Amino acid sequence: MRLPLIIACLVTASPALAASLTVTFQDGAPKDRFTIVHDGSCAAAPTHLVIDLGTAPAGLIFDTTGAGAGVEVFQPLEWVTGSARTSAVTDGDTALTLSLDRIAPGETLAFTIDIDDTTSARQITVDGSEMAGASLRMAGTEAVFDASGRARIDLPACTS
């Protein structure tokens, strides 16, 4: 009896590399600041990142004009490090979508804008604890800001 000759090939896939974005909120007067850092080990493909203030209990809004629901000072969105396409931000909006191009490991993006709360206290400044509960959404994944004003969201794994 003859046995068939079997040639085995082992195929080893490249391990998926970790990729994530850390978004930090820093209160300031008159401008609040969001800093986005790609702290992964590979370039991230283009994606959309949604910052949703509406999930925070403090009733946070973007205050971009003097005629809206905000308190006293207002500031439109302004990129200070890097840039991305953004959805239109109307005064009183609670969500903002950033269209991010390919992001390299270690790359940082930052923008300023004014955020106010709409609770009965009607604060002109918003701190990290008021940001707690606001969320990030991207590619079917969600992360929530903690009391320090920081949220980390995983990017889809990459292989190069």
Side-chain angles (χ1 to χ4, degrees):
M1 171 156 112
R2 294 180 109 171
L3 295 174
L5 179 61
I6 300 174
I7 301 174
C9 296
L10 296 176
V11 177
T12 306
S14 299
L17 300 174
S20 62
L21 293 178
T22 298
V23 180
T24 305
F25 168 78
Q26 181 180 17
D27 65 317
K31 298 178 181 184
D32 300 307
R33 181 182 178 114
F34 284 91
T35 303
I36 303 163
V37 177
H38 178 342
D39 47 4
S41 56
C42 59
T47 190
H48 298 286
L49 176 67
V50 177
I51 299 173
D52 188 351
L53 305 177
T55 58
L60 303 178
I61 61 166
F62 292 107
D63 182 17
T64 59
T65 69
V71 180
E72 297 176 29
V73 179
F74 63 91
Q75 296 293 325
L77 186 144
E78 180 181 1
W79 285 97
V80 293
T81 304
S83 67
R85 293 175 310 282
T86 61
S87 59
V89 184
T90 303
D91 193 77
D93 281 350
T94 60
L96 166 65
T97 301
L98 306 174
S99 297
L100 304 174
D101 291 329
R102 187 175 185 272
I103 304 172
E107 187 171 349
T108 298
L109 304 171
F111 66 91
T112 58
I113 194 166
D114 185 32
I115 295 178
D116 289 343
D117 75 30
T118 59
T119 62
S120 59
R122 307 247 329 136
Q123 298 292 319
I124 192 168
T125 60
V126 172
D127 65 21
S129 66
E130 291 174 288
M131 196 64 169
S135 62
L136 298 176
R137 289 189 306 275
M138 180 180 59
T141 303
E142 185 170 358
V144 177
F145 282 89
D146 63 20
S148 71
R150 179 179 294 250
R152 183 176 180 163
I153 192 162
D154 292 329
L155 296 166
C158 52
T159 56
S160 61

